Amino acid sequence: MRGNMGTTKMEHEFKGGPWLGGWTLAAVIGAVALGLCLAVGQFDMMPAMAISAVMFLLVGLMLTWLAGQPAPVVNRVAASPAPDATVIPMAKAADMMAEPALAAAAPTTSKKAAPAAKSAAAAKPVLAAVPSVGPKKPKVLKAPRKGVADDLKIIKGVGPKLEILCHGLGFYHFDQIAAWTDDEISWVDQNLEGFKGRVSRDRWVPQARAVIDMGAPAFLEALDSGKEF
């Protein structure tokens, strides 16, 4: 009974199983190595036989060790039936059922959000554009009108040098000075070489307006009496 059914694994492998097949393949590889060493490598017989023996032993031991290893776990897992083979289709089906519901809900959300966005936009205050503030060159003349300039020295703080400088910049008349804006005053203040800031400090614009309104004689009398403009 033991001769038929009780044969051990070791006996089975020795009598013609993987054990014998592995050493047979090792012998073939050793013989091939011997032939290559003699024909290609031009080795002598003894070195060639030594290399062939080493190849025979290495290959035989490796194949014998591999034959005794258990079957990989991956094969067992792959062979076993997938327990959740029906779960994936069910999940996909649930996703397919949920997509129409999401698609139907999307237009409703966008329609509700549109009036809210419009109301939020309407609630935002509209900021008016702030004009840029900075020096601005006033309008100038190439020459005095009718060839005669006003006596700008009537303005308190304007002397002969400043009058000549004003003429060089294109200012000859009181009405030109009286029309200057704050930005234009800033420009003239910055361009009076050697007298920067005198327009603002000496209040040229109010004085020029007073000369136009009162006349030069009355204006000079007011200045003599100590009136400030």
Side-chain angles (χ1 to χ4, degrees):
M1 182 66 67
R2 183 181 179 280
N4 296 330
M5 301 181 61
T7 305
T8 64
K9 179 180 180 181
M10 183 65 71
E11 292 172 347
H12 171 71
E13 291 178 350
F14 183 80
K15 291 179 180 179
W19 187 90
L20 182 58
W23 283 105
T24 302
L25 180 58
V28 173
I29 292 175
V32 171
L34 177 62
L36 290 175
C37 289
L38 294 174
V40 179
Q42 297 181 357
F43 285 89
D44 293 335
M45 180 58 72
M46 292 303 294
M49 292 182 65
I51 294 173
S52 174
V54 171
M55 292 293 295
F56 168 73
L57 290 174
L58 289 176
V59 174
L61 291 173
M62 183 183 297
L63 293 177
T64 302
W65 177 79
L66 290 175
Q69 296 300 310
V73 179
V74 178
N75 295 338
R76 298 174 184 175
V77 174
S80 61
D84 54 348
T86 57
V87 174
I88 296 176
M90 292 178 64
K92 291 183 178 179
D95 292 340
M96 294 175 63
M97 293 176 64
E99 286 178 358
L102 293 175
T108 305
T109 305
S110 60
K111 289 179 181 179
K112 291 181 179 179
K118 290 181 180 179
S119 61
K124 292 182 178 179
V126 179
L127 300 178
V130 179
S132 60
V133 179
K136 178 183 178 183
K137 185 177 181 178
K139 293 181 179 180
V140 299
L141 298 174
K142 294 181 179 180
R145 301 187 193 103
K146 298 180 182 180
V148 180
D150 294 337
D151 186 5
L152 300 181
K153 296 187 297 297
I154 293 176
I155 295 175
K156 183 180 178 180
V158 178
K161 291 184 178 180
L162 262 177
E163 185 179 42
I164 294 172
L165 187 56
C166 287
H167 292 171
L169 293 173
F171 309 124
Y172 300 93
H173 303 283
F174 292 117
D175 60 346
Q176 287 181 275
I177 298 174
W180 288 347
T181 63
D182 291 341
D183 295 343
E184 293 170 341
I185 292 172
S186 177
W187 187 91
V188 179
D189 270 337
Q190 294 180 17
N191 288 273
L192 287 175
E193 295 297 334
F195 299 93
K196 292 185 178 182
R198 292 292 294 274
V199 178
S200 301
R201 185 164 63 252
D202 294 336
R203 297 177 58 81
W204 287 13
V205 174
Q207 291 190 69
R209 291 172 182 173
V211 171
I212 295 172
D213 293 340
M214 300 171 61
F219 173 77
L220 289 173
E221 288 180 4
L223 283 180
D224 291 340
S225 64
K227 186 175 180 180
E228 296 290 340
F229 293 94

